[in-house]
Amino acid sequence: MSTEEPQDDSPEEEEEDLQYFVRIGGADLDGTKTVERSLSELDGIGTRTARLVAEKADVDRNATFGLLDEGDIDAVVDIAENLEDHVPSWMTNRQNDFYSGETTHLVGTDVSEKRRHDINRMKVIESYKGVRHKRGQKVRGQRTKSTGRSEGTIGVNVEEIREEMAEDEAAGDDE
């Protein structure tokens, strides 16, 4: 055991400045991970887009997200929330929206909310995909002959038949 006191630049002081959660698009990102990895865990942003966001914000993508300055974090948050202004239209995830006709990039909880609205719209107008969603069947043309079965046991259950026969014989002997 040493009797030395900790130095001024010990890891304990760095952790005091660490921001454990960074809020983007209604979701909390892990501040202990790198910028690229934290952003890629957000719905609507993959690894390629996360790399692009870090590049546009002039931030090292391998830096710990929670240790960045407030200005850098704000820059990353601003670019991630307004991504359609910083990337080409083909890179956005919501091109020519059905209602507004605009091209946007959804991030966070907005992705699942818009998807739910789109599926409900398909169900209401009873398109082919909407009918498949209503029935709980596969929507994108997958095979259904042998997979995707939601019913119970398929085939003959021999034990159940023997039990029924034994019950019938016991009932017939009682008479």
Side-chain angles (χ1 to χ4, degrees), residues 62-146:
N62 294 321
T64 304
F65 201 23
L67 291 177
L68 295 176
D69 297 336
E70 286 296 320
D72 291 340
I73 291 176
D74 291 340
V76 170
V77 170
D78 180 51
I79 290 173
E81 288 179 346
N82 302 312
L83 200 60
E84 64 271 3
D85 299 334
H86 302 282
V87 296
S89 62
W90 58 265
M91 201 169 178
T92 58
N93 61 4
R94 187 100 181 144
Q95 299 163 5
N96 301 326
D97 185 40
F98 181 77
Y99 295 107
S100 65
E102 297 176 356
T103 298
T104 58
H105 191 88
L106 301 176
V107 177
T109 56
D110 295 338
V111 175
S112 57
E113 182 182 342
K114 277 291 188 182
R115 181 174 181 192
R116 234 179 300 115
H117 287 306
D118 290 342
I119 291 172
N120 285 337
R121 182 175 50 85
M122 285 188 280
K123 287 179 183 178
V124 167
I125 65 174
E126 293 188 353
S127 67
Y128 177 78
K129 286 173 72 174
V131 171
R132 302 290 287 187
H133 274 292
K134 270 185 187 177
R135 292 180 183 168
Q137 294 177 327
K138 297 193 177 201
V139 176
R140 297 186 174 184
Q142 298 97 325
R143 292 177 175 267
T144 57
K145 181 178 180 180
S146 60

Side-chain angles (χ1 to χ4, degrees), residues 154-173:
I154 297 174
V156 179
N157 191 345
V158 176
E159 293 175 9
E160 193 173 303
I161 293 173
R162 286 183 183 160
E163 289 175 7
E164 288 176 5
M165 289 175 61
E167 289 174 5
D168 289 344
E169 289 178 9
D173 291 341

